[in-house]
Amino acid sequence: MENYLTELDQLLNQLHHSDKEEALNFYREYLMDADLITYEACVGELGTPKQLSRKILADYSIKADEKSADDTNNKNSRSNIKLIWWIALALLASPLALPVFIILVTLVAVCFALVAALIAIIIALGLTGMLAAISGVGVLLQSTWTGLYYIGCGLTILGIMVAGIPAGVALLRWLINKTAKFSKLIYRRFIDKNHVHQEDR
Amino acid sequence: MAIQMSSELLDGCVLAILDKEDYYGYALTQRVQGTISVSESTLYPVLRRLKNNQYVTTYDQPYQGRNRRYYQITAQGRDKLVSIRQDWLIFQANVNTLLKEK
């Protein structure tokens, strides 16, 4: 039992000290009351320390997220990514939710592809703009007007690219935000309640 | 059975149990599992949520050289229980209406 709790302790390291102690105390008391002495018996009751820690952490991530949403509407993309990650792990830990997990992974993959495409477009714009401007300078001596035309075109494309970067970043934020919200919904639907079926008897 | 229990209903069930007497974690889990099948790790988030919303308080009582944490319903918890019971009655009646339609 102590080994089980030590492992759980290490897996909950990202929690605040007091939150971690509370969870550990709850489960220490629980295992003692249940008279579960061996490591295997603990796993049989609560799942592996990893599975249990994922459940606990997913619950905390959602709580923390709701709290920060109350404070400010501007959600931190990094914590959103972390949230999506934890929910994905929690879904993995629950065999029933595997199809849901696949949907979530597909969704994240689609977002990722969109982002990659966006970055590619921005890089392509930058390259074209620079090439046009440089060749414009090259031609400038032979034909002033053609040169000026190319420089103009190049600078315009560069301008579009620079203007596009903030828009791209905003789009990326929005995508992450939506995915996080969607995963929260999935979490509520499938993990929070999946373990609570009414008995058939 | 494929019908899922919402977290609001689970909160209500736990509050209803605590309305009768105080429970410690393991006994409470056993009590809930006696009627509906919930996983052993379901109750901790529920109790945490109830405590954060001040629907329950906790106190420790020594037991065989260690402490047991007991959960006790608060006045706010009782109010919440009343409102969950009302919501459930309405919900139940509405679902019954649709299910019994022929």
Side-chain angles (χ1 to χ4, degrees), chain B residues 52-87:
Chain B
N52 283 342
N53 291 324
Q54 294 169 343
Y55 296 143
V56 303
T57 54
T58 57
Y59 61 91
D60 291 339
Q61 227 173 47
Y63 172 81
Q64 293 187 349
R66 61 188 172 90
N67 271 337
R68 258 182 186 163
R69 174 153 292 183
Y70 280 81
Y71 295 82
Q72 184 175 38
I73 194 166
T74 62
Q76 275 165 284
R78 291 207 166 86
D79 291 345
K80 181 72 182 168
L81 178 57
V82 169
S83 91
I84 293 178
R85 275 184 175 141
Q86 281 167 352
D87 289 349

Side-chain angles (χ1 to χ4, degrees), chain B residues 1-45:
Chain B
M1 195 188 231
I3 295 180
Q4 291 177 354
M5 184 100 159
S6 77
S7 49
E8 184 81 358
L9 273 179
L10 198 53
D11 288 3
C13 291
V14 169
L15 286 175
I17 293 170
L18 294 176
D19 196 30
K20 300 268 180 315
E21 58 179 303
D22 301 349
Y23 273 87
Y24 56 92
Y26 180 68
L28 184 68
T29 307
Q30 295 291 100
R31 178 77 178 76
V32 175
Q33 285 183 328
T35 312
I36 51 176
S37 74
V38 296
S39 97
E40 285 74 10
S41 50
T42 307
L43 268 292
Y44 180 65

Side-chain angles (χ1 to χ4, degrees), chain A residues 19 22-23 26-27 29-30 32-34 45-46 52 55-56 59-60 63 189-190 192-200, chain B residues 1 3-7 10 24-26 29 35-42 44-45 47-49 66-69 71:
Chain A
D19 286 339
E22 217 186 289
F26 181 89
Y27 283 111
E29 188 195 304
Y30 185 97
M32 282 178 134
D33 284 328
E45 179 86 359
L46 298 170
L52 184 60
K55 259 204 97 168
I56 297 172
D59 185 47
Y60 271 92
K63 291 279 149 55
R189 272 272 155 88
F190 292 90
D192 231 11
K193 299 164 191 169
N194 223 349
H195 302 281
V196 195
H197 302 293
Q198 280 199 288
E199 210 130 280
D200 300 47
Chain B
M1 195 188 231
I3 295 180
Q4 291 177 354
M5 184 100 159
S6 77
S7 49
L10 198 53
Y24 56 92
Y26 180 68
T29 307
T35 312
I36 51 176
S37 74
V38 296
S39 97
E40 285 74 10
S41 50
T42 307
Y44 180 65
L47 288 168
R48 226 172 66 76
R49 180 169 60 232
R66 61 188 172 90
N67 271 337
R68 258 182 186 163
R69 174 153 292 183
Y71 295 82

Side-chain angles (χ1 to χ4, degrees), chain A residues 66-84:
Chain A
E66 274 168 0
K67 234 174 253 171
S68 70
D70 287 344
D71 296 341
T72 155
N73 258 334
N74 190 12
K75 282 195 204 162
N76 188 342
S77 292
R78 193 166 293 181
S79 77
N80 270 341
I81 291 175
K82 228 170 141 190
L83 175 72
I84 297 171

